[in-house]
Amino acid sequence: MPDMLVPLYALPPVPALAEGLVIRPALPFESHVLLDFTARHFSPKWVDECTVALAARPAKVLIATHGATLLGFACYDVTFRGFFGPTGVAPEARGKGLGKALLLAALHRLRDEGFAYGVIGGAGPVVFYRQTCGAIAIPDSDPGAYAGALV
């Protein structure tokens, strides 16, 4: 999977969400909920990245919620400066625009922190990223910055 480059100065706005859905920064005392969610639905490496994102001040992870229910998350500027990810939405909440909204909200945060470009590391859904935020594949970037990582 290639890395992708995103021009942050040309981002579309974060789309409106259905009533009751909220995207906001995770709070420190919610760490156990986010880490459990990430472990249940995704991978141990993503748990590690969320742990680092939560330790930053302010936290570098946004969450999507409905009431007191966690539906998804998006980390940014964590493993490498200016990188987006990981991000994930609960299987039962997919198809509601949360992934797109989390992506754009996190990319807007990168822009607000002074980055002109963002990088989506090891981008899985390349077409989604191209259509949503104008990302382009970086040639010869697989495995890129992740080469030699412990498994």
Side-chain angles (χ1 to χ4, degrees):
M1 295 182 289
D3 293 343
M4 298 186 81
L5 188 67
V6 181
L8 300 176
Y9 50 80
L11 289 173
V14 178
L17 295 172
E19 188 174 333
L21 296 176
V22 175
I23 291 179
R24 62 173 177 79
L27 298 170
F29 55 83
E30 298 171 319
S31 296
H32 67 288
V33 177
L34 175 59
L35 298 177
D36 178 64
F37 174 89
T38 306
R40 255 185 302 117
H41 295 293
F42 303 102
S43 77
K45 287 183 179 184
W46 286 16
V47 172
D48 294 341
E49 289 178 290
C50 285
T51 300
V52 172
L54 287 160
R57 292 293 170 259
K60 303 281 185 162
V61 57
L62 301 175
I63 58 173
T65 64
H66 184 268
T69 303
L70 178 61
L71 300 175
F73 71 95
C75 296
Y76 61 95
D77 203 26
V78 177
T79 299
F80 301 106
R81 298 284 294 151
F83 269 56
F84 167 80
T87 186
V89 174
E92 66 275 10
R94 293 178 187 158
K96 298 178 182 182
L98 287 176
K100 179 178 182 176
L102 283 163
L103 167 66
L104 290 171
L107 292 175
H108 278 275
R109 294 280 175 127
L110 283 174
R111 186 196 63 210
D112 293 345
E113 291 180 11
F115 291 93
Y117 294 90
V119 176
I120 301 170
V126 170
V127 172
F128 168 76
Y129 290 125
R130 186 177 330 119
Q131 292 173 344
T132 303
C133 60
I136 58 170
I138 300 172
D140 303 318
S141 61
D142 185 11
Y146 302 99
L150 298 175
V151 214

